[in-house]
Amino acid sequence: EVQLVESGGALVQPGGSLRLSCAASGFSVDDFAMHWVRQAPGRGLEWVTGISWNSGAIGYADSVKGRFSISRDSAKNSLYLQMNSLRPEDTAFYHCGKDRTLYLSSVESWGQGTLVTVSS
Amino acid sequence: DIKMTQSPSSLSGSVGDRVTITCQASQDIRYHLNWFQQKPGKAPNLLIYDASNLQTGVPSRFSGSGSGTHFTLTITSLQPEDLATYYCQQYEIPPLTFGGGTRVDLK
């Protein structure tokens, strides 16, 4: 059974940094594209970033480009999101997702999310 | 970036109703479109990929159609468990972008 469990969400001050983790089980993170998608409380879905199976394709939303970085660790079967220069508008639940394919297309499995709050 | 516009933003239906949600892309995305369902307090669930392919385990009352810039999601017979918010998403060109969502509730 595919499972994704996010961690690392916290209250952080504007300008601060945070690293989110997503522990995967039931599959290898090397065998599929992976994503981070966020949702501010009461708002819609926003794709943040994704990485193809071989890291040949990595994309970022304009709102996070240059501040956020996606990576994965095969040995730990985990996905990460490094977030720097955080802003209040980054406040949201952050979900990691497993793609249906090798490339950035359709998130078919989702974690329950971890809450990031950016506030002074 | 490709902008995805959904309509309506909300709708009310009765059990058994046929419901249609539309999604328009700001440029040609061929068939590279997903539909997701999100129930309150839950993670989204993939319903349709490649514009018209039903994800495994999704009831057959859900269907998707369209290509290019105009797409539709249809629920042929609305059920109480279909109360949720529905999102389209394009994956033709990164960044992948979602529509604003359509909230479906019961009359």
Side-chain angles (χ1 to χ4, degrees), chain B residues 1-4 24-30 68-71 90 92-93:
Chain B
D1 298 358
I2 297 175
K3 181 175 174 59
M4 306 301 293
Q24 183 143 1
S26 60
Q27 65 186 75
D28 186 354
I29 60 170
R30 297 185 285 174
T69 62
H70 189 76
F71 302 86
Q90 67 81 22
E92 170 71 10
I93 301 172

Side-chain angles (χ1 to χ4, degrees), chain B residues 3-71:
Chain B
K3 181 175 174 59
M4 306 301 293
T5 304
Q6 277 183 246
S7 61
S9 56
S10 65
L11 66 89
S12 294
S14 300
V15 173
D17 280 354
R18 181 184 182 91
V19 168
T20 299
I21 298 168
T22 66
C23 180
Q24 183 143 1
S26 60
Q27 65 186 75
D28 186 354
I29 60 170
R30 297 185 285 174
Y31 58 88
H32 293 144
L33 185 97
N34 298 315
W35 287 99
F36 293 93
Q37 175 195 63
Q38 187 179 31
K39 297 182 179 180
K42 301 291 188 182
N45 181 46
L46 178 65
L47 298 176
I48 303 283
Y49 63 92
D50 290 350
S52 61
N53 289 298
L54 199 65
Q55 174 70 349
T56 303
V58 174
S60 59
R61 64 180 178 274
F62 292 93
S63 65
S65 64
S67 66
T69 62
H70 189 76
F71 302 86

Side-chain angles (χ1 to χ4, degrees), chain A residues 4-9 20-23 36 94-97 110-114:
Chain A
L4 298 163
V5 179
E6 303 92 340
S7 61
L20 304 184
S21 301
C22 172
W36 288 97
Y94 285 74
H95 299 270
C96 76
W110 297 71
Q112 284 305 304
T114 187

Side-chain angles (χ1 to χ4, degrees), chain A residues 42-115:
Chain A
R43 305 294 297 273
L45 300 171
E46 181 184 17
W47 182 82
V48 175
T49 180
I51 183 169
S52 64
W53 72 284
N54 61 356
S55 302
I58 297 176
Y60 295 93
D62 292 347
S63 57
V64 307
K65 200 174 294 182
R67 301 187 298 123
F68 289 14
S69 177
I70 189 172
S71 63
R72 66 178 150 220
D73 184 327
S74 303
K76 295 183 178 179
N77 207 31
S78 293
L79 182 73
Y80 302 98
L81 182 65
Q82 178 66 43
M83 304 186 294
N84 299 327
S85 302
L86 282 161
R87 305 167 180 169
E89 55 265 35
D90 295 319
T91 295
F93 284 94
Y94 285 74
H95 299 270
C96 76
K98 168 191 169 294
D99 202 290
R100 196 178 54 83
T101 73
L102 299 172
Y103 301 100
L104 302 181
S105 64
S106 313
V107 179
E108 68 171 357
S109 299
W110 297 71
Q112 284 305 304
T114 187
L115 179 61

